[in-house]
Amino acid sequence: MRATILHATRTALVCGVLAASAWGARAQSFQTAAPHAILIDADSGSVLFEKGADELFSPASMAKLMTTEIVFNEIRQGRLTMESEFQITEDAWRRGGAGGGGSSMFAQLNSRIKLTDLLRGLIVQSGNDAAIAIGEGIAGSEENFGRMMTNRAREIGLQRSTFRNATGYSAPDQKVTARDLAKLALHLIETYPDLYKMFAEREFTWNKIKQQNRNPLLALDIGADGLKTGYLEESGYGLTGSAVQNGQRLIMVVSGLKTARDRAAESRKLVEWGFRAFEPRQVFAAGETVAEASVFGGAQGSVPLVAKKPVRVLLPRGTGDRITARAVYDGPLVAPVEEGRAVGRLRIMRGDTQALDQPLYAGAAVPAGSIPQRALDAALEVGTGLFRRAFDKAGAKS
C-alpha cells in the first residue's frame, strides 16, 4: 500500500531573534505626493518605504530599462559586442526621431551606428530612435521585441510587468509596477556592473548635438549613479533611481507625479530620508540556522534551514524595537534532501509591510531513512492528513 504524502505551506516562527512590535507605523511615517513609490536597500533587499508599489501603471521611458537589459544580456551571452552595428530604419527615424514628438538621439536615416553609441543614445539621451533601432535589429520588429522583453522579464523575476515596445510609448497592455522596476534596477546593477556605469554618464553628443542625462538626481550631491526617467500624459512623471552613500546603495521608484520639478523633489526627498532614517542590523550570519523544516522518509526528521549570505534588515535609527520573521516552506520535504538545495523563504515583516523576502537552503544533507522509518513517517503523514481533512470539514460546517 502506497501512502500519499500531503504537502502544505508550513511556517516556523523564527524565535529568539525577532518579535512583533508597533514601530512599523513609525517607519512608514514618510509622506510622498507620488501615488506609486518604493525604496529598497540593495544589499539586504529590505523595503524601507512603499506606496502603491504593486499597482500597475504605464512605465513611459522607464520601459527602456528592460530594453537595456535585453542588450546587456545579449552582450553577456556573446551574441552582440559593443562594435555591433544597427541600422536606423525609416520607422526608427520617423517615429523615434525629432518629428516623433519625444526624446531622440537625432540619428540619421539609414545610418549604421555602433552599439556603444546606440546604448548611450538610449540610456543618456533616452532616444526613442535608438530604442526602435535596437528592437528591430535584435528581434526583427518592435512587436517581436516587446514579446521578448516580457519573456525576459519573467525570467528575471518580474511577475506582473508586461511590455509591448522598446520605447515606452503608450500601449494599452504595457504596464509595470514600482516593485518590478526596483527589481529590474537591482538586477541591472548586480548582473552588469561594468555596463551599468553608462547610467551615470552626464552627457552624450551625437550628430553634433550634445544632450544632458535626463536623470535629475545625477546633478545632486547624493551619490546618484542611475537610472531612468519617464513621462507620459497618462502616467505622469516617473523616475527609477539609485544612489550610494558610505557603501550603502538605495534603489527608489516614483511614478504619477504632476511635474518634472515634483519628480526631482520627491525623488531626492525619498533617497535622503532613506539614508538618514535607517541603520542596518544583522539578524543571522551566513550559514547560521534560521529554522528547522520537517523531512518525510529521511534518516532524520528535520533539516536546518540556512541563508547563504548574511541576513540584514534596516531599522529606524535609535530604536530598540523588533519585528517578526517566519520561515516558510512547502512540506514536509521528501528525502533525500541535498545540502544547499533551495527549500524555503525567510520573510520578515514590519507591521503590515514585508521588509525582506530571502531564500533559505537546506543546511545539511538528509539521506533516505530505513524502510521502518519511512513506513512510520508514511503512517504519521496519512494520519495527519486525515485529521486535517476532518478539521477542515468540521470548520466548513460551523
Side-chain angles (χ1 to χ4, degrees):
M1 176 180 177
R2 178 172 297 176
T4 300
I5 304 171
L6 300 172
H7 289 267
T9 299
R10 302 190 175 188
T11 64
L13 183 63
V14 181
C15 300
V17 180
L18 305 170
S21 73
W23 75 268
R26 293 201 299 275
Q28 280 284 118
S29 62
F30 179 83
Q31 299 293 321
T32 179
H36 312 287
I38 193 168
L39 179 69
I40 66 172
D41 172 65
D43 179 59
S44 67
S46 296
V47 179
L48 309 185
F49 177 84
E50 62 177 281
K51 177 184 176 184
D54 295 308
E55 297 173 2
L56 293 168
F57 60 87
S58 298
S61 279
M62 291 186 289
K64 293 185 176 86
L65 291 175
M66 196 68 236
T67 302
T68 303
E69 200 287 331
I70 296 286
V71 178
F72 284 2
N73 187 53
E74 291 292 297
I75 293 172
R76 189 184 189 198
Q77 299 299 326
R79 293 187 285 266
L80 290 174
T81 72
M82 295 297 263
E83 298 301 306
S84 299
E85 292 187 346
F86 287 72
Q87 184 174 359
I88 304 301
T89 64
E90 182 172 353
D91 185 50
W93 175 74
R94 192 173 299 280
R95 285 199 301 121
S103 51
S104 174
M105 72 176 289
F106 300 101
Q108 293 181 331
L109 175 63
N110 293 325
S111 62
R112 296 185 65 83
I113 302 177
K114 289 183 179 180
L115 190 55
T116 184
D117 296 317
L118 206 58
L119 271 173
R120 287 170 169 84
L122 177 74
I123 293 170
V124 180
Q125 300 176 331
S126 194
N128 293 315
D129 45 1
I132 295 170
I134 285 171
E136 292 175 336
I138 290 178
S141 71
E142 198 179 0
E143 182 180 0
N144 288 341
F145 190 75
R147 286 191 287 268
M148 187 176 180
M149 292 167 72
T150 299
N151 291 338
R152 180 62 179 160
R154 297 295 178 270
E155 290 177 5
I156 63 176
L158 312 188
Q159 296 304 317
R160 302 203 58 208
S161 297
T162 302
F163 298 92
R164 290 290 180 259
N165 57 58
T167 58
Y169 280 158
S170 180
D173 297 330
Q174 182 153 265
K175 302 291 182 182
V176 300
T177 69
R179 195 181 309 277
D180 273 358
L181 286 177
K183 289 180 181 178
L184 176 55
L186 181 59
H187 170 79
L188 288 166
I189 292 165
E190 292 185 339
T191 310
Y192 315 104
D194 291 334
L195 293 169
Y196 172 73
K197 295 175 183 177
M198 278 187 278
F199 283 99
E201 294 182 12
R202 300 288 297 275
E203 62 183 33
F204 180 63
T205 300
W206 187 256
N207 200 18
K208 298 182 180 180
I209 300 172
K210 180 189 290 186
Q211 296 187 64
Q212 300 296 313
N213 194 311
R214 294 169 183 267
N215 182 353
L217 297 183
L218 296 180
L220 306 176
D221 187 24
I222 61 171
D225 61 5
L227 293 153
K228 191 75 193 70
T229 59
Y231 169 74
L232 282 174
E233 185 175 355
E234 65 193 72
S235 59
Y237 289 85
L239 171 64
T240 300
S242 184
V244 181
Q245 292 185 18
N246 300 318
Q248 180 189 8
R249 178 181 292 279
L250 298 182
I251 294 171
M252 54 74 58
V253 179
V254 295
S255 183
L257 291 157
K258 294 181 179 180
T259 68
R261 177 173 293 184
D262 289 342
R263 173 176 61 191
E266 292 298 305
S267 297
R268 177 175 189 166
K269 185 171 68 172
L270 184 57
V271 170
E272 291 183 331
W273 173 79
F275 282 126
R276 182 181 66 250
F278 291 84
E279 59 185 357
R281 180 182 298 177
Q282 181 164 305
V283 180
F284 296 101
E288 182 180 350
T289 297
V290 172
E292 299 274 339
S294 300
V295 177
F296 175 89
Q300 293 85 38
S302 64
V303 63
L305 301 182
V306 302
K308 288 188 175 180
K309 63 179 183 178
V311 178
R312 298 186 181 95
V313 293
L314 272 76
L315 302 179
R317 295 186 186 277
T319 180
D321 292 335
R322 298 180 179 182
I323 54 181
T324 58
R326 290 185 180 274
V328 182
Y329 67 98
D330 289 332
L333 307 177
V334 179
V337 178
E338 303 82 16
E339 183 176 2
R341 187 176 110 199
V343 294
R345 311 286 303 182
L346 174 64
R347 291 176 181 157
I348 297 179
M349 301 293 296
R350 295 198 306 258
D352 295 330
T353 299
Q354 182 170 284
L356 186 66
D357 184 358
Q358 189 166 314
L360 293 176
Y361 303 86
V366 179
S370 63
I371 293 177
Q373 178 62 49
R374 295 201 300 272
L376 177 61
D377 283 354
L380 290 172
E381 184 64 21
V382 170
T384 302
L386 291 172
F387 175 79
R388 186 185 303 127
R389 289 198 296 272
F391 182 81
D392 291 344
K393 186 175 181 181
K397 292 180 178 180
S398 61

